[in-house]
Amino acid sequence: MSTPIDTERQFDADGESEDPAVPRLASRVFEALGTMVSISAPMDPDELDAAVQTVRRVFVETEEYFGVGGRGSVESLRRGETELRYSHHRLRALYEQAVGWRNATEGAFTPHAPDGPVDLRGLVKGWAIAHAGQAMMDLQLPHWSVTAGGDVLCSGSPFPAEPTGADPFYGRHWRAGITDPFDAAALVADVPLAGTPGFTAALATSSGHGDGRPNAYLQVSVLAEDIVTADVLSKAILAGGPSTLDAAVREFGIAVMVCGHDGELLASAGWPLQAPL
């Protein structure tokens, strides 16, 4: 999984920021969709609290639409208790999105469980994070990070600064660590996420631990501009292997790092601070 990394900030002897015009980085954490959600932004804590209420509603509505923890429409569909044609229009739309990804990945990503039923659980978290990010942008917040279950979507910088010349980047990168699949206390990569304000950067990691499927890799991490693409393609590459990886990098412009079952790490040419495949 991916894990946000605290980016150090420089303070003077009194504990104040060296640049008093830039707010300190503030974070809030809450539980949703059976996992922990973290919202961070360089802004006044009271203002962040107001923004978090909006984001929290996105996750609450996601649970209402799709369910979580063995309950709700996604689980009813998976268990065959509900037919797709009688489901809520949002669930049907999610299925159509999943079918589109199945076609785009030549079946490596699928909206069906191995034994046949429709299974949309692989899209729900990414859907929620994407809508949470859109909520932050709708609030006209240029610098923020949303993390849920280890997947990260961000915009701007944790420590923004005025741009210089033609450089569109405002300050330092957001950063996320990728957990070592053999040691949950260790990281295999520290990834800079260069989210220019108004444009998003996303990191998603999928693991083959205990899912009961014959996966080509033990773990796959994907960097993309949006979280749904990162999340879906990490799952597709995990199942589809090298041919799916090559096609995804070529067709979607993503960067990928994979961990083999023997622990070997390989990264595509666009992966930051890593040797090319």
Coordinates of all heavy atoms in Angstrom, one line a residue, residues 116-203:
G116 N -17.9 -15.6 -11.3 CA -18.9 -15.1 -12.2 C -19.7 -13.9 -11.8 O -20.0 -13.0 -12.7
P117 N -20.1 -13.7 -10.6 CA -21.0 -12.5 -10.2 C -20.3 -11.2 -10.5 O -19.1 -11.1 -10.5 CB -21.3 -12.7 -8.7 CG -21.0 -14.1 -8.5 CD -19.9 -14.5 -9.4
V118 N -21.1 -10.2 -10.7 CA -20.6 -8.8 -10.8 C -20.0 -8.4 -9.5 O -20.6 -8.5 -8.4 CB -21.8 -7.8 -11.2 CG1 -21.3 -6.4 -11.2 CG2 -22.4 -8.2 -12.5
D119 N -18.8 -7.9 -9.5 CA -18.1 -7.4 -8.3 C -17.4 -6.1 -8.6 O -16.4 -6.0 -9.3 CB -17.0 -8.5 -8.0 CG -16.3 -8.2 -6.6 OD1 -16.6 -7.1 -6.0 OD2 -15.5 -9.0 -6.2
L120 N -18.0 -5.0 -8.0 CA -17.6 -3.7 -8.3 C -16.8 -3.1 -7.1 O -16.5 -1.9 -7.1 CB -18.8 -2.8 -8.6 CG -19.6 -3.2 -9.8 CD1 -20.8 -2.3 -9.9 CD2 -18.8 -3.1 -11.1
R121 N -16.4 -3.9 -6.2 CA -15.7 -3.4 -5.0 C -14.3 -2.8 -5.4 O -13.9 -1.9 -4.7 CB -15.4 -4.6 -4.0 CG -16.7 -5.1 -3.4 CD -16.4 -6.3 -2.5 NE -15.8 -7.4 -3.2 CZ -15.4 -8.5 -2.7 NH1 -15.4 -8.7 -1.4 NH2 -14.9 -9.5 -3.5
G122 N -13.7 -3.2 -6.5 CA -12.5 -2.6 -6.9 C -12.5 -1.2 -7.4 O -11.5 -0.6 -7.6
L123 N -13.7 -0.7 -7.6 CA -13.9 0.7 -8.1 C -14.4 1.7 -7.1 O -14.2 2.9 -7.3 CB -14.8 0.7 -9.3 CG -14.3 0.4 -10.7 CD1 -15.4 0.4 -11.7 CD2 -13.2 1.3 -11.1
V124 N -14.9 1.2 -6.0 CA -15.6 2.1 -5.1 C -14.7 3.1 -4.4 O -15.0 4.3 -4.3 CB -16.4 1.3 -4.0 CG1 -17.0 2.2 -2.9 CG2 -17.5 0.5 -4.7
K125 N -13.6 2.6 -3.9 CA -12.6 3.5 -3.2 C -12.1 4.6 -4.1 O -12.1 5.8 -3.7 CB -11.5 2.7 -2.5 CG -10.6 3.6 -1.7 CD -9.5 2.8 -1.0 CE -8.6 2.1 -2.0 NZ -7.4 1.5 -1.3
G126 N -11.7 4.2 -5.3 CA -11.2 5.2 -6.3 C -12.3 6.2 -6.6 O -12.0 7.4 -6.8
W127 N -13.5 5.7 -6.8 CA -14.6 6.6 -7.1 C -14.8 7.7 -6.0 O -14.9 8.9 -6.3 CB -15.9 5.8 -7.2 CG -17.1 6.5 -7.7 CD1 -17.6 6.6 -9.0 CD2 -18.1 7.3 -6.9 NE1 -18.7 7.3 -9.0 CE2 -19.1 7.7 -7.8 CE3 -18.2 7.6 -5.6 CZ2 -20.1 8.5 -7.4 CZ3 -19.2 8.3 -5.1 CH2 -20.2 8.8 -6.0
A128 N -14.7 7.2 -4.7 CA -14.9 8.1 -3.6 C -13.7 9.1 -3.5 O -13.9 10.3 -3.3 CB -14.9 7.3 -2.3
I129 N -12.5 8.7 -3.7 CA -11.3 9.6 -3.6 C -11.4 10.6 -4.8 O -11.1 11.8 -4.6 CB -10.0 8.8 -3.7 CG1 -9.8 7.9 -2.6 CG2 -8.8 9.8 -3.8 CD1 -8.7 6.9 -2.7
A130 N -11.8 10.2 -6.0 CA -11.9 11.1 -7.1 C -12.9 12.2 -6.8 O -12.7 13.4 -7.1 CB -12.3 10.4 -8.4
H131 N -14.1 11.8 -6.2 CA -15.1 12.8 -6.0 C -14.7 13.7 -4.8 O -15.1 14.9 -4.7 CB -16.5 12.1 -5.7 CG -17.1 11.6 -6.9 ND1 -16.7 10.5 -7.7 CD2 -18.2 12.1 -7.6 CE1 -17.5 10.4 -8.7 NE2 -18.4 11.3 -8.7
A132 N -13.9 13.1 -3.8 CA -13.4 14.0 -2.7 C -12.5 15.0 -3.3 O -12.5 16.2 -2.9 CB -12.7 13.1 -1.7
G133 N -11.6 14.6 -4.2 CA -10.7 15.6 -4.8 C -11.5 16.7 -5.6 O -11.1 17.9 -5.5
Q134 N -12.5 16.3 -6.3 CA -13.3 17.2 -7.0 C -14.0 18.2 -6.1 O -14.1 19.4 -6.4 CB -14.4 16.5 -7.9 CG -15.2 17.4 -8.8 CD -14.3 18.2 -9.7 OE1 -13.5 17.6 -10.5 NE2 -14.4 19.5 -9.7
A135 N -14.4 17.7 -4.9 CA -15.0 18.6 -3.9 C -14.0 19.6 -3.4 O -14.4 20.8 -3.2 CB -15.5 17.7 -2.7
M136 N -12.8 19.2 -3.2 CA -11.8 20.2 -2.8 C -11.5 21.3 -3.9 O -11.4 22.5 -3.6 CB -10.4 19.5 -2.5 CG -10.5 18.5 -1.3 SD -10.8 19.4 0.3 CE -9.1 19.9 0.7
M137 N -11.5 20.8 -5.2 CA -11.4 21.8 -6.2 C -12.6 22.7 -6.4 O -12.5 23.9 -6.7 CB -11.1 21.1 -7.6 CG -9.7 20.5 -7.6 SD -9.1 19.9 -9.2 CE -10.1 18.4 -9.4
D138 N -13.8 22.2 -6.1 CA -15.0 23.0 -6.2 C -15.0 24.0 -5.1 O -15.6 25.1 -5.3 CB -16.2 22.1 -6.0 CG -16.5 21.2 -7.2 OD1 -15.9 21.5 -8.3 OD2 -17.3 20.3 -7.1
L139 N -14.3 23.8 -4.0 CA -14.1 24.8 -3.0 C -13.0 25.8 -3.3 O -12.7 26.6 -2.5 CB -13.8 24.1 -1.6 CG -14.9 23.2 -1.0 CD1 -14.4 22.4 0.1 CD2 -16.1 24.1 -0.6
Q140 N -12.4 25.6 -4.5 CA -11.4 26.5 -5.0 C -10.1 26.4 -4.1 O -9.5 27.5 -3.9 CB -11.9 27.9 -5.1 CG -13.0 28.1 -6.1 CD -13.5 29.5 -6.3 OE1 -13.1 30.4 -5.6 NE2 -14.2 29.7 -7.4
L141 N -9.8 25.2 -3.7 CA -8.6 25.0 -2.9 C -7.5 24.4 -3.8 O -7.7 23.3 -4.3 CB -8.9 24.0 -1.7 CG -9.9 24.5 -0.7 CD1 -10.2 23.4 0.3 CD2 -9.5 25.8 0.0
P142 N -6.4 25.1 -4.0 CA -5.4 24.7 -5.0 C -4.4 23.6 -4.5 O -3.8 22.9 -5.2 CB -4.7 25.9 -5.4 CG -4.8 26.8 -4.2 CD -6.1 26.5 -3.6
H143 N -4.3 23.6 -3.1 CA -3.2 22.8 -2.5 C -3.9 21.8 -1.5 O -4.4 22.3 -0.5 CB -2.2 23.6 -1.8 CG -1.6 24.7 -2.7 ND1 -0.6 24.4 -3.6 CD2 -1.8 26.0 -2.8 CE1 -0.3 25.5 -4.3 NE2 -1.0 26.5 -3.8
W144 N -3.9 20.5 -1.8 CA -4.5 19.6 -0.9 C -4.1 18.1 -1.2 O -3.6 17.9 -2.3 CB -6.0 19.6 -1.0 CG -6.6 19.6 -2.4 CD1 -6.9 20.7 -3.1 CD2 -6.8 18.5 -3.2 NE1 -7.3 20.3 -4.4 CE2 -7.3 18.9 -4.4 CE3 -6.6 17.1 -3.0 CZ2 -7.6 18.1 -5.5 CZ3 -7.0 16.2 -4.1 CH2 -7.4 16.7 -5.3
S145 N -4.3 17.2 -0.3 CA -4.0 15.8 -0.5 C -5.2 15.0 0.2 O -5.6 15.3 1.3 CB -2.7 15.4 0.2 OG -2.5 14.0 0.2
V146 N -5.7 14.0 -0.5 CA -6.7 13.1 0.0 C -6.1 11.7 -0.1 O -5.7 11.2 -1.2 CB -8.0 13.2 -0.8 CG1 -9.0 12.1 -0.3 CG2 -8.6 14.6 -0.8
T147 N -6.0 11.0 1.1 CA -5.5 9.6 1.1 C -6.6 8.7 1.7 O -7.2 9.1 2.8 CB -4.3 9.6 2.0 OG1 -3.3 10.5 1.5 CG2 -3.7 8.2 2.0
A148 N -6.8 7.6 1.1 CA -7.8 6.6 1.6 C -7.2 5.2 1.4 O -7.0 4.9 0.2 CB -9.2 6.8 1.0
G149 N -7.1 4.5 2.5 CA -6.6 3.1 2.3 C -5.3 3.0 1.6 O -5.0 2.0 1.0
G150 N -4.5 4.0 1.7 CA -3.1 4.0 1.2 C -3.0 4.6 -0.2 O -1.9 4.9 -0.7
D151 N -4.2 4.9 -0.9 CA -4.1 5.5 -2.2 C -4.2 7.0 -2.0 O -4.9 7.5 -1.2 CB -5.3 5.0 -3.1 CG -5.2 3.6 -3.5 OD1 -4.0 3.0 -3.3 OD2 -6.1 3.0 -4.0
V152 N -3.4 7.7 -2.9 CA -3.2 9.2 -2.7 C -3.6 10.0 -3.9 O -3.2 9.6 -5.0 CB -1.7 9.5 -2.3 CG1 -1.6 11.0 -2.0 CG2 -1.3 8.6 -1.2
L153 N -4.4 11.0 -3.7 CA -4.7 12.0 -4.8 C -4.3 13.4 -4.2 O -4.7 13.7 -3.1 CB -6.1 11.9 -5.1 CG -6.6 12.9 -6.2 CD1 -6.0 12.6 -7.6 CD2 -8.2 12.9 -6.3
C154 N -3.6 14.2 -5.0 CA -3.2 15.5 -4.5 C -3.1 16.5 -5.6 O -3.1 16.2 -6.8 CB -1.8 15.4 -3.8 SG -0.5 14.9 -4.9
S155 N -3.1 17.8 -5.2 CA -3.0 18.9 -6.1 C -2.1 19.9 -5.4 O -2.1 20.1 -4.2 CB -4.3 19.5 -6.4 OG -4.2 20.7 -7.1
G156 N -1.3 20.7 -6.2 CA -0.5 21.7 -5.6 C 0.7 21.2 -4.8 O 1.3 20.2 -5.1
S157 N 0.9 21.8 -3.6 CA 2.0 21.6 -2.8 C 1.7 21.6 -1.3 O 0.8 22.4 -0.9 CB 3.1 22.6 -3.1 OG 4.2 22.6 -2.1
P158 N 2.3 20.9 -0.5 CA 2.1 21.0 1.0 C 2.7 22.3 1.5 O 2.2 22.8 2.6 CB 2.8 19.8 1.6 CG 3.8 19.4 0.6 CD 3.3 19.8 -0.7
F159 N 3.6 22.9 0.8 CA 4.3 24.1 1.2 C 4.4 25.0 0.0 O 5.4 25.2 -0.6 CB 5.7 23.8 1.8 CG 5.6 22.7 2.9 CD1 6.4 21.6 2.7 CD2 4.9 22.9 4.0 CE1 6.4 20.6 3.6 CE2 4.8 21.9 4.9 CZ 5.6 20.7 4.8
P160 N 3.3 25.7 -0.4 CA 3.3 26.4 -1.6 C 4.1 27.7 -1.6 O 4.4 28.2 -0.5 CB 1.8 26.8 -1.8 CG 1.2 26.7 -0.4 CD 2.0 25.7 0.3
A161 N 4.6 28.1 -2.8 CA 5.3 29.3 -2.9 C 4.9 29.9 -4.3 O 4.3 29.3 -5.1 CB 6.8 29.0 -2.9
E162 N 5.3 31.1 -4.5 CA 4.9 31.8 -5.7 C 5.8 31.2 -6.8 O 7.0 30.9 -6.7 CB 5.2 33.3 -5.6 CG 4.2 34.0 -4.7 CD 2.8 33.9 -5.2 OE1 2.6 34.0 -6.5 OE2 1.9 33.8 -4.4
P163 N 5.2 31.0 -8.0 CA 5.9 30.4 -9.1 C 6.9 31.4 -9.7 O 6.8 32.6 -9.5 CB 4.8 30.1 -10.2 CG 3.8 31.1 -9.9 CD 3.8 31.3 -8.4
T164 N 8.1 30.9 -10.2 CA 9.1 31.7 -10.8 C 9.2 31.4 -12.3 O 9.3 30.3 -12.7 CB 10.4 31.5 -10.1 OG1 10.8 30.1 -10.2 CG2 10.4 31.8 -8.6
G165 N 9.2 32.5 -13.1 CA 9.4 32.3 -14.5 C 8.2 31.4 -15.1 O 7.1 31.6 -14.8
A166 N 8.6 30.5 -15.9 CA 7.7 29.6 -16.6 C 7.4 28.4 -15.8 O 6.6 27.5 -16.2 CB 8.1 29.3 -18.0
D167 N 8.0 28.2 -14.7 CA 7.8 27.0 -13.9 C 6.4 27.0 -13.2 O 6.1 27.9 -12.4 CB 8.9 26.9 -12.8 CG 8.8 25.6 -11.9 OD1 7.9 24.8 -12.3 OD2 9.6 25.5 -11.0
P168 N 5.6 26.0 -13.6 CA 4.2 26.0 -13.0 C 4.1 25.4 -11.6 O 3.0 25.4 -11.1 CB 3.5 25.1 -14.0 CG 4.5 24.1 -14.5 CD 5.8 24.9 -14.5
F169 N 5.2 24.9 -11.1 CA 5.1 24.2 -9.8 C 5.2 25.1 -8.7 O 6.1 26.0 -8.7 CB 6.1 23.1 -9.7 CG 5.9 22.2 -8.5 CD1 4.9 21.3 -8.4 CD2 6.8 22.4 -7.4 CE1 4.7 20.6 -7.2 CE2 6.6 21.6 -6.2 CZ 5.5 20.8 -6.2
Y170 N 4.3 25.0 -7.7 CA 4.3 26.0 -6.6 C 4.8 25.3 -5.3 O 4.1 24.8 -4.5 CB 2.8 26.3 -6.3 CG 2.1 27.2 -7.3 CD1 2.2 27.0 -8.6 CD2 1.4 28.4 -6.9 CE1 1.5 27.8 -9.5 CE2 0.8 29.2 -7.8 CZ 0.8 28.9 -9.1 OH 0.2 29.7 -10.0
G171 N 6.1 25.3 -5.1 CA 6.7 24.8 -3.9 C 7.1 23.3 -3.9 O 7.3 22.7 -5.0
R172 N 7.2 22.7 -2.8 CA 7.7 21.3 -2.7 C 6.6 20.3 -3.1 O 5.4 20.6 -3.1 CB 8.0 21.0 -1.2 CG 9.1 21.9 -0.6 CD 9.5 21.3 0.7 NE 10.1 22.4 1.6 CZ 10.4 22.2 2.8 NH1 10.1 21.0 3.4 NH2 10.9 23.1 3.5
H173 N 7.1 19.1 -3.4 CA 6.2 18.0 -3.8 C 5.5 17.5 -2.6 O 6.0 17.5 -1.4 CB 7.0 16.8 -4.4 CG 7.8 17.1 -5.6 ND1 9.0 17.8 -5.6 CD2 7.6 16.9 -6.9 CE1 9.5 17.9 -6.8 NE2 8.6 17.4 -7.6
W174 N 4.3 17.0 -2.8 CA 3.7 16.0 -1.8 C 4.6 14.7 -1.9 O 5.1 14.4 -3.0 CB 2.3 15.7 -2.2 CG 1.3 16.8 -2.0 CD1 0.9 17.7 -3.0 CD2 0.7 17.3 -0.8 NE1 0.0 18.6 -2.5 CE2 -0.1 18.4 -1.1 CE3 0.7 16.8 0.5 CZ2 -0.9 19.0 -0.2 CZ3 -0.1 17.4 1.4 CH2 -0.9 18.5 1.1
R175 N 4.6 14.0 -0.9 CA 5.4 12.7 -0.9 C 4.5 11.6 -0.3 O 3.8 11.8 0.6 CB 6.7 12.9 -0.2 CG 7.5 14.0 -0.6 CD 8.9 13.9 -0.1 NE 9.7 12.9 -0.8 CZ 10.4 13.1 -1.9 NH1 10.4 14.3 -2.4 NH2 11.1 12.1 -2.5
A176 N 4.8 10.4 -0.9 CA 4.1 9.2 -0.4 C 5.1 8.0 -0.4 O 5.9 7.9 -1.3 CB 2.9 8.8 -1.2
G177 N 5.0 7.2 0.6 CA 5.9 6.0 0.7 C 5.1 4.8 0.3 O 3.9 4.6 0.5
I178 N 5.8 3.8 -0.4 CA 5.2 2.6 -0.8 C 5.7 1.5 0.1 O 6.9 1.3 0.3 CB 5.6 2.2 -2.3 CG1 5.0 3.3 -3.2 CG2 5.0 0.9 -2.6 CD1 5.4 3.1 -4.6
T179 N 4.8 0.8 0.8 CA 5.2 -0.2 1.8 C 5.8 -1.4 1.2 O 5.4 -1.9 0.1 CB 3.9 -0.6 2.6 OG1 3.3 0.6 3.1 CG2 4.2 -1.6 3.7
D180 N 6.8 -1.9 1.8 CA 7.5 -3.2 1.4 C 6.5 -4.3 1.6 O 6.0 -4.5 2.7 CB 8.7 -3.4 2.3 CG 9.5 -4.6 1.8 OD1 9.0 -5.5 1.2 OD2 10.8 -4.6 2.1
P181 N 6.1 -5.1 0.6 CA 5.2 -6.2 0.7 C 5.6 -7.3 1.7 O 4.8 -8.1 2.1 CB 4.9 -6.7 -0.7 CG 6.2 -6.3 -1.4 CD 6.6 -5.0 -0.8
F182 N 7.0 -7.3 1.9 CA 7.5 -8.3 2.8 C 7.7 -7.8 4.3 O 8.0 -8.6 5.2 CB 8.8 -8.8 2.3 CG 8.7 -9.5 1.0 CD1 9.0 -8.9 -0.2 CD2 8.3 -10.9 0.9 CE1 8.9 -9.5 -1.4 CE2 8.2 -11.5 -0.3 CZ 8.5 -10.9 -1.5
D183 N 7.6 -6.5 4.4 CA 7.8 -5.9 5.8 C 7.0 -4.6 5.9 O 7.3 -3.6 5.3 CB 9.3 -5.6 5.9 CG 9.6 -5.0 7.3 OD1 8.6 -4.8 8.1 OD2 10.8 -4.7 7.6
A184 N 5.8 -4.7 6.6 CA 4.9 -3.6 6.6 C 5.5 -2.4 7.3 O 4.9 -1.3 7.2 CB 3.6 -4.0 7.4
A185 N 6.6 -2.5 8.0 CA 7.2 -1.4 8.7 C 8.2 -0.7 7.9 O 8.8 0.3 8.3 CB 7.8 -1.9 10.0
A186 N 8.5 -1.2 6.7 CA 9.5 -0.7 5.8 C 8.9 -0.1 4.5 O 7.8 -0.5 4.1 CB 10.6 -1.7 5.5
L187 N 9.7 0.7 3.8 CA 9.3 1.3 2.5 C 10.2 0.8 1.4 O 11.4 0.7 1.7 CB 9.2 2.8 2.6 CG 8.3 3.5 3.6 CD1 8.5 5.0 3.5 CD2 6.9 3.1 3.4
V188 N 9.6 0.6 0.2 CA 10.5 0.3 -0.9 C 10.7 1.5 -1.8 O 11.5 1.5 -2.7 CB 9.9 -0.8 -1.8 CG1 9.8 -2.1 -1.0 CG2 8.5 -0.5 -2.2
A189 N 9.9 2.6 -1.6 CA 10.1 3.8 -2.4 C 9.5 5.0 -1.6 O 8.5 4.9 -0.9 CB 9.4 3.7 -3.7
D190 N 10.1 6.1 -1.8 CA 9.6 7.4 -1.4 C 9.3 8.3 -2.6 O 10.2 8.6 -3.3 CB 10.6 8.1 -0.5 CG 10.3 9.5 -0.1 OD1 9.2 10.0 -0.4 OD2 11.2 10.2 0.4
V191 N 8.0 8.5 -2.9 CA 7.6 9.0 -4.2 C 7.2 10.4 -4.1 O 6.3 10.8 -3.4 CB 6.4 8.2 -4.8 CG1 6.0 8.6 -6.2 CG2 6.7 6.7 -4.7
P192 N 7.8 11.3 -4.9 CA 7.4 12.7 -5.0 C 6.2 12.8 -6.0 O 6.1 12.2 -7.0 CB 8.6 13.4 -5.6 CG 9.3 12.4 -6.4 CD 9.0 11.1 -5.8
L193 N 5.1 13.5 -5.5 CA 3.9 13.7 -6.3 C 3.8 15.2 -6.7 O 3.5 16.0 -5.8 CB 2.7 13.3 -5.5 CG 2.6 11.8 -5.1 CD1 1.4 11.5 -4.3 CD2 2.5 10.9 -6.4
A194 N 4.1 15.5 -7.9 CA 4.2 16.9 -8.4 C 2.8 17.3 -8.9 O 2.6 17.4 -10.1 CB 5.2 17.0 -9.5
G195 N 2.0 17.6 -7.9 CA 0.6 18.1 -8.3 C 0.6 19.6 -8.5 O 0.4 20.3 -7.5
T196 N 0.7 20.1 -9.7 CA 0.5 21.5 -10.0 C -0.9 21.9 -9.6 O -1.8 21.2 -9.8 CB 0.8 21.8 -11.4 OG1 2.1 21.4 -11.8 CG2 0.6 23.3 -11.7
P197 N -1.1 23.1 -9.0 CA -2.4 23.6 -8.6 C -3.4 23.5 -9.7 O -3.1 23.9 -10.8 CB -2.2 25.0 -8.2 CG -0.8 25.0 -7.7 CD 0.0 24.1 -8.6
G198 N -4.6 22.9 -9.4 CA -5.6 22.7 -10.4 C -5.5 21.4 -11.3 O -6.4 21.1 -12.0
F199 N -4.3 20.7 -11.1 CA -4.1 19.5 -11.8 C -3.7 18.4 -10.8 O -2.9 18.7 -9.9 CB -3.0 19.6 -12.9 CG -3.3 20.6 -14.0 CD1 -3.0 21.9 -13.8 CD2 -3.9 20.2 -15.1 CE1 -3.3 22.8 -14.8 CE2 -4.2 21.1 -16.1 CZ -3.9 22.4 -16.0
T200 N -4.3 17.3 -10.9 CA -4.1 16.3 -9.8 C -3.0 15.3 -10.2 O -2.7 15.0 -11.4 CB -5.3 15.5 -9.5 OG1 -5.8 14.8 -10.7 CG2 -6.4 16.4 -9.0
A201 N -2.3 14.7 -9.2 CA -1.4 13.6 -9.3 C -1.9 12.5 -8.4 O -2.4 12.8 -7.3 CB 0.0 14.0 -9.0
A202 N -1.8 11.2 -8.8 CA -2.3 10.1 -8.0 C -1.3 9.0 -7.9 O -0.6 8.7 -8.9 CB -3.7 9.7 -8.6
L203 N -1.4 8.3 -6.8 CA -0.6 7.1 -6.6 C -1.5 6.0 -6.0 O -2.1 6.3 -5.0 CB 0.6 7.3 -5.6 CG 1.4 6.1 -5.2 CD1 2.1 5.5 -6.4 CD2 2.4 6.5 -4.1

